[in-house]
Amino acid sequence: MAGEDSSAPKRKRPMGLKARSSKKANAVTSAGAQEVADFADETTATVMLRGDDTNEIDELEGIFTSALEALGEGEDERALTLLRGTVHESDRLLRLHDTNGEGELEPRFYYIYGSALFSLAEASQDIKDRGVYLELALHRLEQAREKMGDGVEARVWMALAKVKLEISAEAESDVDAAVQALDQAVQAFGANDEAAQVLEAADLVLSLADSQRLPVCASSRLIAWGMAQARRLLQTQPDSDECQCILARALWLQASAMINDDDEISDTLVFAKLLTEAVEVLEKTESSDGLVLRGEIEINLGNAQDEELDMEQWYTKAVASFRRAQEMGE
């Protein structure tokens, strides 16, 4: 059965970031905006734009970038302060813009605003807050898409896909809209980094499919999408460990979906065929993650055997895969 997958990092669930009430020295973001730790409780935070002749949207993007960097470095309190500051300043700029009756704000503004709201949704442990943040994020990102016209950037499509996937998971509904956004993102990816971005997207959808947060039909569609993307990339990059792992993982998840609550396999022949193909895909893998994944799949194949001898053969192969992965990690 599909469980924890070592082939690729799991997408993080809500991280539960919490700002503690404390006074700290002011910090400066990468854009030069001042971060003020003047909040009296964990729901208030201020980030001040410089207010000089610099482009305020450039500064806003710098604040958001600093928030993402803080998340990556495990600085949860500072990240949450910067995310809230990004949203606060975005709201202020929007109200100021509307009051002054100026021309349209550039699409990038709405992308930053929506992405910050989505990050807050990811950080929130309150279900109601998550829902509000997700709906607001969707609205702002849709505005970014609309204002870009026919030239919508790949990052906007991916941000929309992520939000729509989370909304689907929260509502336990279908993923049609999210898959459409994913397809648009793939079409918009640049040739130089297409493979890396497609694999990142495939990893995202397979992680969600494996999370049991979606209806079976929705999970199956995401697995099929990830599988199709991996097969497509393998046509031009047959030796890519990353592509091999994504395809094998998708095959494994598809097979695991055939196991019911009583641990009975609905079709043992198809189940074995899917897992055998997954092992073959990973036959030449040179990564420890790929070897660990292969070992897990070989155990599943062993569990599906009727004859004890066949079972032992698959278990022996699994041990060899795990041992080799361990040696590579040393």
Side-chain angles (χ1 to χ4, degrees):
M1 296 179 63
E4 294 297 323
D5 182 3
S6 302
S7 65
K10 287 283 188 183
R11 179 180 163 282
K12 293 184 178 180
R13 295 286 297 123
M15 292 169 284
L17 308 179
K18 289 186 178 179
R20 302 179 189 84
S21 301
S22 61
K23 293 289 183 179
K24 292 187 176 181
N26 295 345
V28 176
T29 70
S30 59
Q34 189 177 30
E35 176 189 338
V36 184
D38 64 349
F39 45 100
D41 57 52
E42 65 178 34
T43 62
T44 308
T46 304
V47 174
M48 297 174 59
L49 298 186
R50 288 158 57 183
D52 51 23
D53 293 332
T54 58
N55 185 306
E56 287 190 309
I57 297 180
D58 285 344
E59 289 187 67
L60 193 67
E61 187 168 31
I63 296 170
F64 180 56
T65 299
S66 294
L68 297 181
E69 291 172 351
L71 281 176
E73 295 169 2
E75 298 178 16
D76 293 354
E77 182 180 345
R78 181 166 182 263
L80 189 54
T81 299
L82 290 169
L83 286 173
R84 286 175 174 153
T86 302
V87 171
H88 178 272
E89 285 301 304
S90 296
D91 183 61
R92 183 187 65 80
L93 286 176
L94 189 59
R95 283 187 284 106
L96 184 63
H97 177 85
D98 291 341
T99 300
N100 294 339
E102 300 173 359
E104 289 189 357
L105 285 162
E106 61 182 283
R108 180 170 56 123
F109 166 79
Y110 295 98
Y111 167 75
I112 297 166
Y113 197 172
S115 297
L117 286 163
F118 175 68
S119 294
L120 280 176
E122 289 283 86
S124 177
Q125 290 185 320
D126 186 286
I127 296 176
K128 185 179 294 185
D129 285 348
R130 274 178 60 78
V132 171
Y133 284 136
L134 287 172
E135 291 297 334
L136 289 172
L138 180 61
H139 175 63
R140 294 308 180 192
L141 290 169
E142 287 288 7
Q143 286 182 294
R145 179 187 62 78
E146 291 168 2
K147 292 179 183 297
M148 286 183 179
D150 295 331
V152 181
E153 297 175 8
R155 64 175 181 171
V156 174
W157 284 121
M158 270 308 302
L160 279 167
K162 290 177 181 179
V163 172
K164 290 177 179 181
L165 285 170
E166 277 302 310
I167 289 175
S168 295
E170 293 292 323
E172 297 185 7
S173 61
D174 66 67
V175 292
D176 293 352
V179 170
Q180 290 175 9
L182 286 166
D183 287 337
Q184 292 287 348
V186 169
Q187 293 178 25
F189 286 146
N192 293 334
D193 55 0
E194 178 196 12
Q197 291 180 310
V198 171
L199 289 172
E200 181 180 350
D203 175 67
L204 172 70
V205 301
L206 293 182
S207 294
L208 182 57
D210 192 27
S211 69
Q212 300 183 341
R213 298 172 60 210
L214 290 167
V216 173
C217 59
S219 293
S220 296
R221 185 162 188 201
L222 293 183
I223 292 169
W225 190 89
M227 187 183 299
Q229 295 302 321
R231 289 193 190 281
R232 181 176 64 84
L233 290 176
L234 279 170
Q235 291 178 357
T236 56
Q237 304 179 48
D239 298 323
S240 168
D241 274 332
E242 293 84 357
C243 291
Q244 291 167 357
C245 284
I246 288 292
L247 178 55
R249 185 176 168 202
L251 290 163
W252 184 32
L253 289 174
Q254 191 173 60
S256 298
M258 302 176 68
I259 303 173
N260 62 27
D261 293 337
D262 296 323
D263 285 338
E264 295 177 348
I265 302 170
S266 59
D267 189 325
T268 54
L269 290 177
V270 175
F271 180 83
K273 182 180 178 180
L274 289 168
L275 292 185
T276 300
E277 182 184 354
V279 170
E280 290 172 351
V281 167
L282 294 170
E283 185 176 358
K284 295 181 180 180
T285 184
E286 294 297 329
S287 70
S288 58
D289 286 343
L291 287 165
V292 169
L293 176 58
R294 191 171 78 187
E296 294 284 356
I297 296 170
E298 287 166 339
I299 287 177
N300 284 178
L301 274 166
N303 292 341
Q305 303 304 310
D306 293 326
E307 299 295 329
E308 186 172 345
L309 180 59
D310 294 334
M311 189 182 300
E312 289 298 327
Q313 287 178 340
W314 280 113
Y315 289 162
T316 299
K317 290 180 180 179
V319 169
S321 295
F322 289 136
R323 187 169 293 158
R324 187 176 167 204
Q326 185 177 24
E327 290 171 353
M328 292 182 69
E330 293 177 349

